[in-house]
Structures are given as C-alpha cells and as structure tokens.
Amino acid sequence: MESSELAGKHLVLGLTGGIACYKIAELTRLLIKAGASMQIVMTDAATQFITPVTMQALSGRPVYTSQWDARMPHIDLAREADAIVIAPASTDFLAKIAHGMCDYLLSTLCIARDCPLLVVPAMNRQMWQNPATQRNVAQIRADGIEVLGPDSGSQACGEVGDGRMIEPEAAFEAICAFFQPKLLRGQRVLITAGPTFEPLDPVRGITNRSSGKMGFALARAAAQAGADVHLVAGPVSLPTPWGVYREDVQTAQQMHDAVMHATPDADIFIAVAAVADWRVDHVSEQKIKKIPGATQPSFNFVENPDILASVAKLPNPPYCVGFAAESGDLNVHGEEKRKRKKVPLLIGNLGPLTFGRDDNEVVLFEDSGATPLPRADKRQLARTLIAEIAKRAPKTGGPLLS
Ligand code: CTP
C-alpha cells in the first residue's frame, strides 16, 4: 500500500558492522517509499558488509563514513535529523553509546544529537546475552534511547537464539509508530476485522467481500497510538500489524465467543468485522453432492449473535464503536443502526465503494449529529479515526450512551 506517512521526516540512518547490513537496503527502500528523506552514515566495519555505493543509490544522497568527510558533519547531520536510527547496531556500538564514547563519526553524531535515537541491535546470541551487553542495553534504555528488538531465531553463524535483527518491515513499522502521537497510551483496544465464514459442508460456505483492510489499519493505528491491541480477525490473508495481538476465527459464533472472552480486559471495542447475520442450522458432515435428478439442496438459516450489540448491552461495557457498510441512504441507515445497536459512535460507509479498495470515505454518527470525513487512504483514515475515538473515549471505559 502506497503511503506517505513519513513525509517531511528526515532520518539519519547509521550502519555499524554486521551481516544484518544486508537488511538495511530493504529498510532504506521502505523508509524512502514512505516519504522520509535519509542521510546514511556508515562505520568502516559496515562498509565491509554492504557498499556505500548501494546505500547512496537507495537513499539518493552521498554516504558519510568518516569524521573528516566535511566540515563538522557530526554537528550538521545531527541538527538536521528528526531521529537517528542505528541499524544494525553492533555489540561494540551499544557499548560506545552506553558509555558516551565518540571515537568515530557515527558515535560522535549520537553524542552530539538533539533528536531521538533508536537502535536496532543485531549480534550473535551469546554476545547479546553477555552481562556486559545486557548492562549496556539497560543503560541505553534508561537514557531514553529506543531499543527495537532483537528477534529470536536462526543466526548467520549457524546458532539459534536471541540477537538477530528484526526484519526490515518490522523495523520500518516500529519507526513509523515512533513518530505517532501516543493518543491511546495505556488503553486496551479490542477490534474485530474481516468477514466471517459460515460453513455449509466441509468444502463450501457463505462469506462476504470484506477484505479486512480497514480493521487491520485501525489495529495498526491504535497500536501506533500506544494502545494494547487485541485483534479478532475473520479469514483474511493480511499480515498482523506490528505490536498487535491477533486471534484468528472463522465463524460469527467463534468471533462472538472470542470477543466476549476478551471484553472484560478492553477499554474500547471497535467492531469493524462484516459479520454474517445468518448461518445454516445444520452443517453437512459430507460434501453435498450434485445427484442427477435429485431435488436442489435447501438450507434452514438461524440468526448469528450480534457481537456489537451484545457487548454494548453488558452492564459495564467498553466504549463501543460500530461500523456500518450500507449500499445506499447512508445518513438514514447509519443513525438508525447506531441507535439500534445502542453505541455512542458509529462509522458509516458505502460498502460497494470500499470493499477491497485501499481508500475509504466515512461519516461519523453520534448524538450530536453526522460528520463526513474526506476520502483518504485506509491507513491515513485509520489514524484520523483513532484520533476521533481517542477524543471521545474515557480513559477508564464504562457506560457512555446518553
Ligand atoms: N455486527 C456485529 N455482529 C453481527 C452483525 C454486525 O458485531 N452479527 C457489527 C459490525 O461489526 C458493525 C455493525 O455491527 O460494527 C454493523 O454491521 P452491519 O453488517 O452493517 O449491520 P447489521 O446489524 O448486520 O444490519 P444490516 O445487515 O441489516 O444492515
């Protein structure tokens, strides 16, 4: 999905020596694509793993490698940046910044900075576990430096354990999240997303065209805003947003049960899923066969639980937000649905104009009236909606319908 969420941000990206340098080409590409401008700085050791030529081509600017490249680059580079990101950050480099050492350009830059510093460690598992490294990391965190990762898994040296660099996509997501205002810090947000799948037999079922993109974008935006996010997802093939806890379900009943189980721990509930209203009363154990001359199959339907309405009528509900996908007359159906579901805020859109698309246009329905929001890509819209929800939701949850 194209987005310009880092437009206007200038990053200094520093590479130190390590095999994970190969991941930084992709990270740079993602940051540039998101609109960031980038200044790459490399240590001598980093240039052994990936060439400055590659990094210059990807970032579109000459790469700095030495203190003596230009007049006072450590001051100028640090002053221009909105943040400095060190990726990969080696054991040695973590030790340097923990102790305030400035013996080459990148470490000097970190000491001379007046902007935030993020480090993305990458090293062998024993180097990571070494008490000296752990002491340095604790000191770095105490100094207000963001430490992103490391991951656990197989390492270039053939060993398995903690220390490998988080993937470039994860580092990108963490950097994007870093720049977002923490409007929901400490809030617990429960979100449903995607369609449900109601089986007819072992191979067939009833579903709908919801892609899950809007719900996943809201989960991402809520996590970026500092919330603790639990996403209950129907069958979709979307990656889990960074920092979000995801639970996969198939049917409306499973989604209902997962939500009712999680609701006591939620301050805000956002129901984005396109839940099937009906399921068949009897799912055939065998595939329904087409027998020549036999009558066509028929099904009896029973109504699925209304998840949003069930949560909203709990004695002490979280702040409930509904979505409505209509095929016409949005203003009439949106407000009617909000009242029927007894929720303080309902976000309405026209389903056929949004399903599967990367952008969306919505109207907010609440007691005070209807407010249309301009069409925007789903990620941007998600951030706007999270800001609107954060304005309205009380910090502690509780009954809100007036
Ligand atoms: N919803 C739900 N459980 C259901 C049906 C809907 O939680 N069984 C939620 C959706 O997640 C959404 C809101 O209710 O937040 C409205 O969903 P929508 O499908 O538009 O409304 P319905 O209640 O199904 O009404 P209708 O199909 O008649 O338009």
Side-chain angles (χ1 to χ4, degrees), residues 10-69:
H10 181 67
L11 300 176
V12 167
L13 179 59
L15 287 77
T16 69
I19 188 67
C21 278
Y22 80 91
K23 295 185 178 179
I24 309 309
E26 178 63 7
L27 175 60
T28 305
R29 201 185 64 80
L30 292 169
L31 293 166
I32 291 277
K33 204 169 133 203
S37 59
M38 312 266 303
Q39 177 59 59
I40 307 286
V41 179
M42 300 173 74
T43 63
D44 274 349
T47 65
Q48 299 293 317
F49 292 92
I50 188 167
T51 69
V53 176
T54 301
M55 297 312 297
Q56 172 170 332
L58 289 167
S59 66
R61 289 183 187 215
V63 169
Y64 283 94
T65 52
S66 153
Q67 306 255 39
W68 322 113
D69 278 347

Side-chain angles (χ1 to χ4, degrees), residues 83-87 116-120 145-148 174-175 178-179:
I84 299 176
V85 180
I86 308 296
L117 175 60
L118 294 82
V119 296
V120 190
I145 295 167
E146 289 276 323
V147 181
L148 309 177
I175 293 165
F178 176 79
F179 284 113

Side-chain angles (χ1 to χ4, degrees), residues 33 35 52 75 117 182 256 289 292:
K33 204 169 133 203
I75 302 292
L117 175 60
K182 300 293 170 252
H256 171 270
K289 302 298 274 183

Side-chain angles (χ1 to χ4, degrees), residues 192 252 255 269-277 304-309 321-326 337 340-341 346:
T192 63
M255 188 174 272
F269 174 50
I270 313 177
V272 197
V275 184
D277 292 326
N304 275 325
D306 188 316
I307 303 167
L308 178 58
V321 182
F323 264 73
E326 303 297 337
K337 198 166 280 183
R340 175 155 52 86
K341 307 241 175 187
L346 186 125

Side-chain angles (χ1 to χ4, degrees), residues 321-378:
V321 182
F323 264 73
E326 303 297 337
S327 57
D329 263 345
L330 183 55
N331 281 338
V332 176
H333 295 308
E335 185 52 18
E336 178 278 318
K337 198 166 280 183
R338 184 182 81 85
K339 293 222 166 83
R340 175 155 52 86
K341 307 241 175 187
K342 296 190 167 47
V343 293
L345 180 64
L346 186 125
I347 299 160
N349 63 36
L350 290 172
L353 298 185
T354 177
F355 283 158
R357 289 183 57 139
D358 285 340
D359 60 1
N360 197 359
E361 194 177 329
V362 303
V363 180
L364 306 185
F365 296 96
E366 57 194 325
D367 262 353
S368 56
T371 316
L373 298 183
R375 180 167 280 277
D377 85 72
K378 285 185 182 175

Side-chain angles (χ1 to χ4, degrees), residues 199-204 282-290 297 299:
L200 296 173
D201 70 15
V203 293
R204 303 186 186 91
H282 172 74
V283 178
S284 171
E285 275 176 33
Q286 303 297 328
K287 186 180 174 199
I288 302 164
K289 302 298 274 183
K290 189 174 59 182
F299 301 99

Side-chain angles (χ1 to χ4, degrees), residues 167 169-171 173-174 191 193 212-213 215-221 223-224 229-234 236-248 379:
E167 292 306 318
E169 293 77 12
E173 287 292 321
I191 301 180
K213 281 183 184 166
F216 274 60
L218 275 162
R220 178 177 187 265
Q224 288 186 338
V229 182
H230 182 161
L231 173 65
V232 180
V236 293
S237 55
L238 293 173
T240 308
W242 166 256
V244 166
Y245 172 70
R246 171 178 181 173
E247 187 176 356
D248 284 322
R379 283 189 169 182

